[in-house]
Amino acid sequence: AQSVTQLDSHVSVSEGTPVLLRCNYSSSYSPSLFWYVQHPNKGLQLLLKYTSAATLVKGINGFEAEFKKSETSFHLTKPSAHMSDAAEYFCVVSGNNDMRFGAGTRLTVKP
Amino acid sequence: DSGVTQTPKHLITATGQRVTLRCSPRSGDLSVYWYQQSLDQGLQFLIQYYNGEERAKGNILERFSAQQFPDLHSELNLSSLELGDSALYFCASSIGAGNSPLHFGNGTRLTVT
């Protein structure tokens, strides 16, 4: 069995400041982990994925995430937020053909 | 562009009616997934097909059914519609049946009046 918890339902940052979206997971397998982004009235878009290679994963639009097995975490970061980053972000754990989505974190970026 | 096409984009219908949502997966992808997204329930997994066969079932109501055709496109049928079925319905596709990344369409917004 597996599950994923996104620790913040809403994060608000100022433009140009760092972004941290937190995700903890639980899995009985060696999981694959993903982050997706959803802009208003759009489908989800893959930001990045971890599949047991390098623990620091770089994604699109300057985002990256670090897989920490000891902490069962896969937090998403970006050094400097842009207005276009405002969206909903989903953390996903997948293993043994079972894929679980987190509840989502809404990122607001203030000018 | 994800390569996943969903039609129609918007659908408005009355309670008790039946509708069909269509999805064409990304070229080369064998798996199709259906999700429902609403404000109160969030993103809910409904069902997955892999190469024409049902692979996994989530929170899909008995009033809902789906299938994947030999050309790999999929249809989601919603019947005896209720107000609470109003939501965004997403289709996603992936190469494999398991842990491959999903590619999402832009969704069909269903409004039941």
Side-chain angles (χ1 to χ4, degrees):
Chain A
Q2 48 195 13
S3 64
V4 58
T5 302
Q6 292 185 241
L7 298 167
D8 307 291
S9 59
H10 188 205
V11 170
S12 181
V13 300
S14 297
E15 190 175 20
T17 65
V19 175
L20 170 64
L21 305 182
R22 299 181 295 164
C23 171
N24 285 354
Y25 71 92
S26 171
S27 179
S28 305
Y29 317 103
S30 294
S32 295
L33 293 154
F34 309 85
W35 275 99
Y36 289 84
V37 60
Q38 184 182 24
H39 289 94
N41 298 312
K42 293 288 187 183
L44 282 70
Q45 180 186 15
L46 180 68
L47 271 180
L48 51 80
K49 62 180 179 180
Y50 166 78
T51 53
S52 75
T55 56
L56 183 62
V57 182
K58 293 190 184 299
I60 61 171
N61 302 335
F63 284 94
E64 62 182 37
E66 186 171 9
F67 173 71
K68 291 187 176 180
K69 186 174 181 178
S70 61
E71 299 176 11
T72 59
S73 69
F74 190 57
H75 301 335
L76 182 70
T77 60
K78 183 172 180 177
S80 176
H82 192 272
M83 295 298 291
S84 61
D85 295 328
E88 186 94 15
Y89 291 80
F90 293 91
C91 181
V92 179
V93 62
S94 184
N96 199 36
N97 298 323
D98 178 27
M99 185 174 285
R100 301 294 173 110
F101 279 73
T105 297
R106 179 163 298 279
L107 176 65
T108 301
V109 182
K110 297 175 290 186
Chain B
D1 181 14
S2 68
V4 178
T5 303
Q6 287 187 251
T7 56
K9 290 184 181 179
H10 303 276
L11 202 46
I12 302 174
T13 189
T15 54
Q17 295 298 306
R18 172 190 170 96
V19 297
T20 297
L21 312 183
R22 183 188 167 98
C23 170
S24 294
R26 200 176 63 136
S27 178
D29 286 356
L30 297 178
S31 268
V32 168
Y33 302 73
W34 286 98
Y35 287 86
Q36 179 194 59
Q37 187 178 41
S38 60
L39 284 174
D40 54 344
Q41 300 272 3
L43 193 66
Q44 298 284 321
F45 167 65
L46 296 178
I47 197 164
Q48 178 201 358
Y49 282 83
Y50 176 75
N51 205 21
E53 299 289 328
E54 183 183 304
R55 181 77 180 207
K57 224 168 186 176
N59 301 323
I60 188 165
L61 300 172
E62 283 193 14
R63 300 184 284 108
F64 296 0
S65 65
Q67 54 184 326
Q68 186 179 28
F69 294 88
D71 67 352
L72 301 178
H73 91 270
S74 178
E75 292 182 355
L76 178 67
N77 300 297
L78 315 176
S79 61
S80 302
L81 285 167
E82 302 175 0
L83 295 177
D85 297 328
S86 296
L88 258 175
Y89 290 83
F90 286 107
C91 169
S93 71
S94 68
I95 288 177
N99 304 329
S100 311
L102 301 185
H103 302 272
F104 282 79
N106 284 331
T108 293
R109 182 171 293 281
L110 174 66
T111 302
V112 182
T113 62

